[in-house]
Amino acid sequence: MIKYRPVRSTLDEAMEEERSFDTSEAMFDYIVKVWQEFGNDLFTKEDLSIEEKPGKDPRINWKECRIVYVKRMGKKIYTTPQCIGYCSFEDSNI
């Protein structure tokens, strides 16, 4: 299982939107779908990536926390990918 939370103004707001997925592919599908309400071609699954080195987030007991990055938003391509959310693989065999 993979836990995901989006970036929001506060941690409480982000945790209200926490979701769980069986695969990173399913998580990417969800992220793209949620963002489609802001525009159909903001980014695709291929524009998403996951940080390789996990950290810890003791505020919510995520021992294996990784940043989810997006490298494109509409026509804007970022030189440095931007954080769009966080995920944790700690309960997963992935």
Side-chain angles (χ1 to χ4, degrees):
M1 179 180 71
I2 301 166
K3 297 184 280 188
Y4 168 79
R5 71 177 195 264
V7 171
R8 294 293 179 255
S9 297
T10 68
L11 181 60
D12 287 339
E13 289 172 343
M15 293 309 293
E16 287 176 12
E17 296 183 49
E18 178 185 4
R19 300 287 184 273
S20 296
F21 303 94
D22 292 327
T23 66
S24 56
E25 184 83 9
M27 179 181 68
F28 285 175
D29 286 337
Y30 170 79
I31 294 168
V32 169
K33 181 181 176 188
V34 167
W35 277 84
Q36 280 180 341
E37 68 184 64
F38 301 106
N40 283 335
D41 190 33
L42 290 178
F43 57 86
T44 65
K45 290 190 303 186
E46 290 75 25
D47 295 313
L48 296 170
S49 63
I50 299 170
E51 178 179 34
E52 295 199 21
K53 293 184 178 182
K56 294 180 181 181
D57 193 337
R59 302 170 299 168
I60 55 172
N61 294 323
W62 283 19
K63 298 176 184 89
E64 204 271 0
C65 188
R66 298 169 188 255
I67 299 171
V68 178
Y69 292 108
V70 66
K71 67 179 180 182
R72 175 178 74 94
M73 190 64 71
K75 293 182 182 184
K76 172 73 175 171
I77 298 174
Y78 300 111
T79 306
T80 302
Q82 303 296 297
C83 177
I84 199 166
Y86 298 88
C87 68
S88 176
F89 292 87
E90 63 194 60
D91 296 329
S92 173
N93 293 326
I94 298 173

